[in-house]
Amino acid sequence: QVRLAESAGGSVQAGESLRLSCVVFGSVYSRTCWAWFRQAPGKEREGVASISVGPIYAGGIKEYYTDSMKDRVTISRNSADDSVFLEINSMKPEDTAMYYCAADLRRTCTTDWTDPSKYDNWGQGTQVTVSS
């Protein structure tokens, strides 16, 4: 198990960019899938992006993005301290949500990365509000 702590999201204007950080406390393995999810009021939690860095024979670096945001988001990871980042460009009011960092310590990311039940470690979330 690890503890995940998201940075403060905050409020931004539509069109601006925002970079969220997730600090990781604890030991991690190379076979780990890191992901960002978000949940707006009254909606289900949805996957935004995921990243894993595994051995070459297991696919190496893998990144996945939700289709609705793939042209505006970038996920990245700092291997030195295992922190994970999510950058969102051209933010829209509909991006307003609680954003969560998650980790599946058992395997690298696969095509079912958007399923929240696959992740056994979650941060507490950080609120992002986009005003028009």
Side-chain angles (χ1 to χ4, degrees), residues 10-57:
S11 299
V12 297
Q13 296 288 322
E16 293 182 342
S17 297
L18 184 69
R19 188 173 190 243
L20 301 177
S21 301
C22 176
V23 179
V24 181
F25 300 92
S27 299
V28 300
Y29 306 99
S30 60
R31 289 180 177 266
T32 297
C33 180
W34 307 94
W36 284 95
F37 283 76
R38 68 180 184 178
Q39 188 166 19
K43 295 188 176 181
E44 294 185 352
R45 190 167 296 191
E46 64 170 340
V48 177
S50 67
I51 185 170
S52 60
V53 181
I56 297 298
Y57 63 82

Side-chain angles (χ1 to χ4, degrees), residues 1-5 22-29 32-34 81-82 84 101-106 119-124:
Q1 296 291 319
V2 296
R3 184 169 69 86
L4 307 177
C22 176
V23 179
V24 181
F25 300 92
S27 299
V28 300
Y29 306 99
T32 297
C33 180
W34 307 94
D81 61 7
D82 294 316
V84 184
C101 178
D104 178 355
L105 303 181
R106 299 161 293 183
Y119 299 85
D120 47 4
N121 295 272
W122 290 87
Q124 293 187 330

Side-chain angles (χ1 to χ4, degrees), residues 46-84:
E46 64 170 340
V48 177
S50 67
I51 185 170
S52 60
V53 181
I56 297 298
Y57 63 82
I61 299 174
K62 293 188 288 185
E63 297 178 14
Y64 294 92
Y65 296 94
T66 186
D67 286 343
S68 63
M69 298 181 69
K70 62 183 179 181
D71 58 340
R72 298 191 293 121
V73 301
T74 302
I75 189 170
S76 59
R77 176 176 171 269
N78 183 343
S79 59
D81 61 7
D82 294 316
S83 53
V84 184

